Amino acid sequence: MTDGSAILGRTIADSTPAFTSSPKPPPGAPNVLLIVLDDLGYGQLGCFGSDIDTPNVDRLAADGLRYRSFHVTALCSPTRACLLTGRNHHSVGMGFLTDIPMGFPGYTGRIPRSAAALPRILRDAGYSTMAVGKWHLTPRWEQSASGPFELWPLGLGFERHYGFLAGDTNQWTPALVRDNQFIDPPRTPDQGYHLTEDLADAAIRMIQDQKQATPNKPFFCYFATGAMHAPHQAPREWIDRYRGRFDLGWDRWRQELFARQLASGVVPEGTALTERPSWVEAWDAATPDARLVYARMMEVFAGFLSHADAQIGRVLAFLESIGSLDDTLVLLLSDNGTSAEGGPRGSFNEHRFTHDIADDIEDLLARLDELGGHRAYNHYAWPWAWAGNTPFKLWKRYTWLGGVRTPLIVRYPRCITPEDAGEVRPQFCHAVDVFSTILDATGIEALSIVDGVPQQPVDGASLVPTMHDPAARSPRETQYFEMLGSRAIYHRGYKAVTNHVGNQMSAERELMEGSRNFDTDHWCLYDLRTDFSEANDLSDAKPELCRQLVEMWWAEAGRNNVLPLDDSLILRISALEPSPHDLRVSGRFVPGGGFIQEDVLPALGGGFRIRAKVTVPDVPGAGSDPGAASEPGAEPEPVEGVLAALGDWSNGFALYVSEGRPVLTINLFGDPVSASSSERLEPGPHLIVAEYRREGTGGGPMAIGVDGARASEIVRVPRDLPFRWQIGGAGLLIGRDSGFPVSEDYEPPFPFTGTIEEVVIDSLTWLPPDPGTELAVELRHE
């Protein structure tokens, strides 16, 4: 008998075995380390002209090449999709963020099976694959502990993952995921925890484990930091080393940066420094108090960047210590230009940006020393974003060069000779080219069919020829751009770009010059061969060429599923894919589980009711060490602890018991309001009911009652609840808290010292209304 090529006899002696062969990459295939920084501008690394200390990245550039005409998509999820699929972002459903998947082909938020991702291809060819850090490629309704997991890192071909799923997260208390499971951070902020350090630890550990087990097997490590995305948070000693460094202001800082860029060659001779636009305040026009705030914001950002550079340095040093650095293709880039989401004055709490709430300079000044620390979720003022993209215009979310041209550094000794090391390459290239570059360097071909699914054409081309030859042709001569209605196209050295102003931030709508209507957009035209910074508009001088490029943009838009256009968040939300889960009017939860993601909870914005059934033990000393003896006749310690909590002191709510009294705290963007019961919980069973009702144009009363008694106080919530409590938060916890607290009343984990039978959360949006009942009566248990 035979089974495949095996010959089976009565015994092993008269049988011939056959073995399944494991895939092996081509001989000598390199390791690959792809480092993706977040919201880092063209001019913010030392090797691209900055005076911010980035010695490890600068060393990487000195040993490799800098690409001065590398382009991305102007937003994070879309660029990451380009990197990992080699396709244009709309063509793989990633025209916008995964947070708002829509019912249009270019905006589904789902990488299709027709675009097998780089880790899948490398894994199937014999590579070890590992992802560390930010992901942001899983659609909104699939980010809970229930999955599905096909679009989590492991589902797209990574064998290991440690990091976070969302667009950002708190650097001190991140919403961590290991493989397909949510976990708590290994240490607390008070124990010195910081996410970037943890990510470096994880990358080193994964590589070490892999190399010790299979030393001859190459790896692909995708290392995507949360830095430099807000919140800008770093250990105080890293921030304070920059004290006074930015007192000169953004105008002078930008001029000095530009001079260094020219001297180093990352900006070619003859480049014009674009003028400060009208909507960016002159440094000298700011008040002395405002300058104190602005300078400190930039000190925080610089400390954050230097701290991130140090962690990148640790990973590179480890590779060098095990003799693998020179066998590794290292690429470092940013997913888009700098972020202006702090608005004209910056923000102490970036959650306010998502709700278009501006900060006040006096408030910022009062909390100056907290910037970058545990209490802040801060973002710098947009003049620093403008300066960080020197010499370009605008920033993230726009297809001007400030949004789409970022640093690219490549270190690969096998292709880059010592004579070429440290040089600057001029070729026009794009994020889609990274996929093809890595496959070319590893000797692995993109597949035409994966799992029986024909693969769509790869849009990228390899940069390896440019590593060998500084005069090699650019990997592409045409590239379209679109983000939130901002549109551009590059073709054979020329670039056309619209003057369209987005509709996401009120400050941009009110202050920025440009068109607010697609029908009236003006297309500017630039010759990037001689005008590196988009300073000289040629649209009037070359109207026919401009018209041809505009027509080419429409053709590319049709080919890549760019339509329909939209420049706002409101209409996108109106086209949001509905949740595949049944409408949840009420949810029952018990302690002992992990995080429950926001998107699977009942809708809270229109009002909610939390009902907690608890039992207070009739034991002296309840709430203290269970093993401790009580003094004879001693009064029992009051019961305490968290019943349900979501978010923290930057944005969140918590129902908890403090000194025996139930309390509901709603913390809106750092401003807490609390309602409490006047009575202590005595031993025995209790029903605690907390309620918030939205009224009129937003905000409304909240109160808390126990065992059907009328609420002792009604407190007014001043504004609407957020549509999302935490941009990168982990979700609801029952019976304990994690990370930072919602209220100053307690310190996590603050476990409940009684027994929780259940916590039920009802959405008042969907429950039948009872207009004739007062709130206090509504809190009675019936």
Side-chain angles (χ1 to χ4, degrees), residues 6 24 48 71 188 192 201 275 315 329 339 352 381-382 487 527 565 602 609 646 664 680-681 698:
K24 293 187 182 297
F48 275 76
H71 297 79
T188 68
D201 290 343
E275 296 181 357
V315 177
L329 166 63
S339 169
R352 295 173 184 169
W382 77 20
R487 295 166 285 159
D527 183 351
L565 294 175
R609 180 186 299 123
L646 189 155
L664 173 66
R680 280 191 176 192
L681 296 179

Side-chain angles (χ1 to χ4, degrees), residues 383-403:
W384 288 120
W386 164 71
N389 284 330
T390 301
F392 308 130
K393 301 173 184 176
L394 276 174
W395 37 61
K396 174 182 176 181
R397 296 176 289 110
Y398 289 89
T399 59
W400 294 81
L401 289 178

Side-chain angles (χ1 to χ4, degrees), residues 464-477:
V464 169
T466 69
M467 299 180 202
H468 291 291
D469 181 4
R473 293 181 60 185
S474 296
R476 63 191 48 260
E477 62 178 20

Side-chain angles (χ1 to χ4, degrees), residues 614-617 621-625 636-643 655-663 680-681 688 735-736 745-747 749-756:
V614 305
T615 299
V616 177
S624 62
D625 182 354
E637 291 187 9
V639 69
E640 63 179 8
V642 166
L643 301 174
L655 175 62
Y656 55 96
V657 180
S658 177
E659 297 183 347
R661 293 182 175 86
V663 182
R680 280 191 176 192
L681 296 179
I688 301 167
R736 67 182 178 95
D745 287 349
Y746 68 90
E747 182 176 336
F750 200 48
F752 185 61
T753 55
T755 301
I756 299 175

Side-chain angles (χ1 to χ4, degrees), residues 9 113 572:
R113 295 178 65 200
R572 289 175 188 269

